[in-house]
Amino acid sequence: MGYADLLRGLEEEAARQAAALRAEAARESERLVAEARAEAGRLRGEALARARERWEAAAQRRRADAGRDRDRSFLEAARQLLEEARAEALRLLEPRRPDLLPRLLAEAVPAADPGHEIEVVVDPGQQDGTWAWLVQERPGLPVAVRAAAAARGGVEVRWGGVVLDDTLPARLDKAWPDVEGRAAALLLEGTAAGGGDARL
């Protein structure tokens, strides 16, 4: 083999090796690009998942805030309705019913201790009726009768530092927690029937 053939053989071998290196480099480049794309896709997916989680958490907070605002508005409206109902109940009490004074005197006066001077406070204009009842029902009881500053309905009996308030406003005050609870339950039943979810 001559020198020229040797050179040609070396050139061809170098060309084959260069082609093999280029092919290997191309394959490696494709592999690296594919890995980079896969990594970028993974990172993009994770970023999207985190963004979605943040958005869902923010949306849930907004829904919770809106629910609390709605519940607060409902509770304020319900409270206002109950206050109006109480005021209306107080207005509708009938302090001038003829059977009211004797009935309340019969409840309150016997509770007083006859060992003390007893004071009975009634609505203005009811002193005579009170005296008539006391003379008939509790003769000899040491009692003073006086008029209240304003009509309230009912009686107030005082003795030895004790005050027994049996007026209509006081009776309403005592009964109101139970009445209010029942009225609130009715409001809630109406809200549930209408699809609401507020809690009182």
Side-chain angles (χ1 to χ4, degrees):
M1 171 184 298
Y3 183 70
D5 292 333
L6 181 59
L7 284 177
R8 204 170 24 257
L10 288 173
E11 287 174 359
E12 288 174 359
E13 180 60 25
R16 276 194 302 276
Q17 287 181 6
L21 287 173
R22 282 195 298 274
E24 179 63 25
R27 286 192 297 274
E28 183 65 12
S29 175
E30 288 173 5
R31 186 184 66 78
L32 291 174
V33 167
E35 286 180 0
R37 283 180 180 156
E39 181 66 9
R42 185 185 67 78
L43 292 174
R44 184 168 50 252
E46 289 178 358
L48 287 172
R50 285 192 300 270
R52 188 178 305 110
E53 286 174 5
R54 285 194 300 271
W55 183 87
E56 287 174 355
Q60 189 172 358
R61 283 193 301 272
R62 285 192 298 274
R63 285 192 298 271
D65 290 345
R68 278 192 296 274
D69 290 344
R70 187 178 59 250
D71 288 353
R72 191 176 304 114
S73 296
F74 172 79
L75 292 176
E76 288 170 2
R79 175 60 52 200
Q80 181 65 32
L81 282 173
L82 291 171
E83 287 173 3
E84 290 171 8
R86 187 181 189 286
E88 183 65 8
L90 190 57
R91 188 185 71 77
L92 292 174
L93 292 173
E94 299 181 28
R96 297 296 179 191
R97 282 175 36 195
D99 64 328
L100 181 64
L101 181 62
R103 187 164 55 86
L104 295 181
L105 284 168
E107 288 178 3
V109 171
D113 181 355
H116 293 86
E117 182 174 328
I118 299 166
E119 181 181 47
V120 177
V121 183
V122 294
D123 286 353
Q126 292 188 331
Q127 298 94 311
D128 291 344
T130 301
W131 274 118
W133 185 90
L134 287 166
V135 166
Q136 181 178 340
E137 301 293 332
R138 299 298 301 269
L141 188 69
V143 63
V145 177
R146 72 175 184 83
R152 302 170 296 171
V155 298
E156 188 177 283
V157 180
R158 301 175 181 188
W159 72 94
V162 177
V163 177
L164 175 61
D165 189 346
D166 203 16
T167 61
L168 295 180
R171 291 169 74 94
L172 180 62
D173 285 344
K174 290 173 191 165
W176 187 249
D178 183 53
V179 172
E180 185 180 42
R182 292 179 185 192
L186 288 173
L187 281 173
L188 288 175
E189 285 176 16
T191 301
D197 61 355
R199 290 165 296 283
L200 188 62

